[in-house]
Amino acid sequence: MNRFRFFLLVMLIPVLSFVLSSCDNDDDMVYISSVPNAIVTVKPNSDNTSFVLQLTDNKILVPQNMKSSPFGNKEVRAFVNYTRLSTGMSDMNVRINWIDSILTKPTYSIRDFRDNPDFATDPVEILDSWEMGTEDGYLTIRFRTRWNPGSKHAVNLVLRDDINHDGPILQFSHKADGDTYTGVAGDGVVAFRLPDYFNEGGEPFKIILMWKSYTGERTREFTYFQRKDTAD
């Protein structure tokens, strides 16, 4: 089983930064925001000779200034800042100003993960932010906890198929590496690919996320809409 024991992306995004063209005329300055304007799924074809960005279930971004994915032939979730060039019924030609991958991980079954040393319920806060939600077969989570220099946090998503419930229950597992109540507060963003069988049946259904916060056990409910795959 692939194990991740490293510091998650800490979101210290400035409000705005500028990229200037090499020109003496101030009117020719090019302003590019350092803030993402979307989260997308990066979907390369099998040999990464082309790729698209899944924006919503019904809208695909088609990069015009990049031929191959900067992340190889691996599908990942990513922050992107793009400029719209033209729009069709189901796709949009865009220029990618910048793109940065989000840590993207699978969802584990509790039966496979219960004895894994990275399974823990150290406290963490799940934030209500624009990144948070289910889309395109993924659950994206922004969380906040405390970090000390050099510490190695581990986060995972575990399907609690040992709990009898009408719909799926997913547990956010956080191993704090000793940073439970000390260190500087910081945020991380992680995306989890949900099980493929969630996409069977065609009808939306409810899923429950559970986690241990600093003030006790918490849950949140989401409506899951089945993923619509983009053909290679």
Side-chain angles (χ1 to χ4, degrees), residues 202-220:
E203 294 295 328
F205 57 89
K206 302 294 185 181
I207 62 175
I208 293 176
L209 175 67
M210 57 185 292
W211 71 96
K212 182 180 179 182
S213 77
Y214 282 91
T215 55
E217 301 295 333
R218 293 287 182 269
T219 61
R220 180 169 174 176

Side-chain angles (χ1 to χ4, degrees), residues 31-156:
Y31 296 88
I32 298 176
S33 172
S34 63
V35 178
N37 53 14
I39 291 179
V40 296
T41 308
V42 181
K43 295 182 175 180
N45 63 3
S46 57
D47 58 0
N48 195 25
T49 55
S50 66
F51 73 108
V52 296
L53 308 177
Q54 192 83 38
L55 178 63
T56 67
D57 286 342
N58 301 311
K59 183 67 70 173
I60 295 171
L61 306 183
V62 183
Q64 300 301 299
N65 61 329
M66 298 177 67
K67 291 184 177 180
S68 59
S69 167
F71 315 114
N73 60 3
K74 182 180 179 181
E75 180 179 304
V76 298
R77 295 283 280 173
F79 289 110
V80 66
N81 182 282
Y82 69 90
T83 301
R84 181 173 63 184
L85 300 177
S86 64
T87 304
M89 291 294 293
S90 61
D91 58 17
M92 181 190 301
N93 291 329
V94 300
R95 180 178 69 246
I96 296 178
N97 299 318
W98 61 261
I99 188 169
D100 193 9
S101 65
I102 297 170
L103 176 63
T104 306
K105 303 187 67 174
T107 299
Y108 296 107
S109 167
I110 188 62
R111 292 181 175 86
D112 300 327
F113 205 69
R114 192 190 302 275
D115 297 327
N116 191 293
D118 284 345
F119 181 61
T121 55
D122 291 331
V124 65
E125 300 299 337
I126 303 296
L127 304 184
D128 187 10
S129 67
W130 71 273
E131 302 101 332
M132 183 77 177
T134 59
E135 189 174 50
D136 196 34
Y138 292 89
L139 173 60
T140 304
I141 295 173
R142 175 184 277 269
F143 64 94
R144 179 169 295 162
T145 188
R146 293 188 174 276
W147 314 86
N148 279 302
S151 62
K152 299 180 180 181
H153 289 227
V155 295
N156 288 282

